[in-house]
Amino acid sequence: MDVAILTYHALPQLEPFDACLLPALTALGLDARPVIWDDPAMDWRTVRLALVRNTWDSHLRRDAFVAWADKVGRLTQLQNPAPVLRWNTHKAYLRELEAKGVAVTPTAWVRQGDTLDVGALAAERGWDTVVLKPAVSAGALKTHIFPRAQAATATARVAELAREGDVMVQPYLTAFEKEGERSYIYFDGAFSHAVHRPPTLADAPRGFSEPVAFTPEHPEELRLAEAVLEAAGPPLLYARVDVATDNAGQPRLQELEVTEPRLFLSLDAGAADRLARAIAAKL
C-alpha cells in the first residue's frame, strides 16, 4: 500500500470532507486506503506513508496514541511525524508559540492537581466571561463558559478538571458569536485554502452554522498564520491555523492543528489535489 489514510473505528470510510482525497491519490497512480489507526492486525512495514486524518479518539487515549505514533514512525513514514503529534496533542504548545512572539489568546494555565480562583483572575484581567478547557481535548470536550458572576462555580469546575489533567482558562471572545473562527490551511508550508467555521460549542450563540470556504481578505490574519508556522518549525505536510478576533478587535491564534484536524478538502475545488501532490512528493 502506498498511503494508509488513518481513521478510527467510528469512521472506517473517512469523514465526508476527507473522502475526496482517495480519488485524488488514485489519479496520481497511488494505492491509498482508509486504515483504522489502532488496528492490531496492521503491519505498518507494508505501508509507504501513513497519513493521520480522522483519528478522532486519540485525545481520549493520548498516551496510547503518542506511543503508537512513536512505534509506527519507526516502521514507516508517518505524517505528521510522531514528535509533532506528541507536541501538538497537549495545548502547552501554545505557550511555546507565545514565547516566540505569536499573538495567542491570553491563557491562565492550571497544572494537574492545582487550583485557581477564577473570580480573582477575571477581576485582575478584566474578563467578563471565561472559557475553561482541558489542555488535552478536542471538539470542545469538557469545555465550559462561565460569566464572572458564576466565578465560584467556575473555580469548582477548574478544580474538577484539574484532577484529571492540566487546564486552560481564557477570556470568552464575544466576536465568536458572529464571526466564529477563520482556519487557514497549508500543505507542505504553502497556503491552500481558508474556511470560516462556526463556534465549536453547541450551546454558543452563532451567526452561522456550517463551515464555508472564503477568500482571505485580511492580510494581518495571513501574516499571523505564517508567523505561527514559522515559529512551529520546518514545514509540515498539513497544518490548520485557527484564528479568532479578540475582545480588542485583534486577530489571535486559537489553535495550531497539526494532528487530526478537519482540512475541509471538499469545500475547495483544488484542495484534495494539492494535498495529494504534497503526499506524492513525500514518497
Side-chain angles (χ1 to χ4, degrees):
M1 189 189 316
D2 294 312
V3 183
I5 303 179
L6 304 181
T7 184
Y8 79 125
H9 65 89
L11 280 173
Q13 297 303 315
L14 305 178
E15 71 139 0
F17 287 123
D18 271 352
C20 54
L21 182 58
L22 287 168
L25 289 166
T26 300
L28 296 178
L30 299 174
D31 177 13
R33 308 173 211 167
V35 173
I36 307 300
W37 72 270
D38 57 351
D39 181 354
M42 186 64 192
D43 182 355
W44 298 103
R45 295 167 297 183
T46 66
V47 174
R48 296 176 66 192
L49 185 148
L51 178 71
V52 179
R53 290 305 317 120
N54 303 152
T55 59
W56 290 348
D57 56 348
S58 58
H59 63 289
L60 302 175
R61 296 183 287 146
R62 178 177 180 259
D63 290 346
F65 179 72
V66 297
W68 166 89
D70 288 340
K71 175 183 176 181
V72 171
R74 293 191 294 268
L75 299 175
T76 187
Q77 181 180 176
L78 181 64
Q79 294 289 347
N80 283 319
V84 172
L85 303 180
R86 180 181 293 274
W87 174 76
N88 190 238
T89 48
H90 189 294
K91 298 185 196 303
Y93 74 83
L94 290 167
R95 301 178 78 170
E96 296 182 29
L97 296 178
E98 185 176 33
K100 293 179 179 181
V102 172
V104 174
T105 296
T107 305
W109 298 87
V110 183
R111 295 179 63 88
Q112 183 173 5
D114 286 352
T115 59
L116 175 72
D117 185 331
V118 175
L121 174 73
E124 175 189 343
R125 301 201 182 186
W127 296 351
D128 294 327
T129 304
V130 298
V131 179
L132 319 178
K133 64 179 75 170
V136 176
S137 66
L141 180 67
K142 298 184 180 180
T143 297
H144 307 278
I145 300 174
F146 290 98
R148 195 192 299 188
Q150 297 178 16
T153 303
T155 295
R157 186 58 55 86
V158 167
E160 177 185 322
L161 293 172
R163 285 196 288 270
E164 301 176 4
D166 299 339
V167 181
M168 307 165 65
V169 183
Q170 299 176 319
Y172 177 70
L173 306 186
T174 56
F176 259 43
E177 298 176 7
K178 292 184 178 179
E179 295 183 4
E181 290 181 297
R182 279 78 66 199
S183 293
Y184 296 89
I185 297 161
Y186 292 76
F187 299 143
D188 203 17
F191 174 72
S192 171
H193 58 293
V195 173
H196 194 187
R197 299 165 50 237
T200 306
L201 281 171
D203 58 351
R206 59 190 64 203
F208 63 105
S209 59
E210 297 294 332
V212 293
F214 74 98
T215 301
E217 298 178 349
H218 301 289
E220 69 276 14
E221 291 197 356
L222 275 172
R223 286 194 294 268
L224 173 58
E226 289 160 6
V228 169
L229 295 178
E230 182 177 356
L236 299 169
L237 177 59
Y238 57 88
R240 194 185 86 196
V241 183
D242 294 340
V243 175
T245 304
D246 70 13
N247 293 333
Q250 299 301 310
R252 296 268 189 168
L253 173 66
Q254 289 293 104
E255 302 264 0
L256 169 61
E257 298 274 13
V258 294
T259 301
E260 29 67 302
R262 278 193 168 106
L263 299 175
F264 301 103
L265 301 179
S266 62
L267 296 185
D268 182 278
D273 290 337
R274 287 190 289 271
L275 179 54
R277 290 193 295 270
I279 293 167
K282 299 286 186 184
L283 297 174

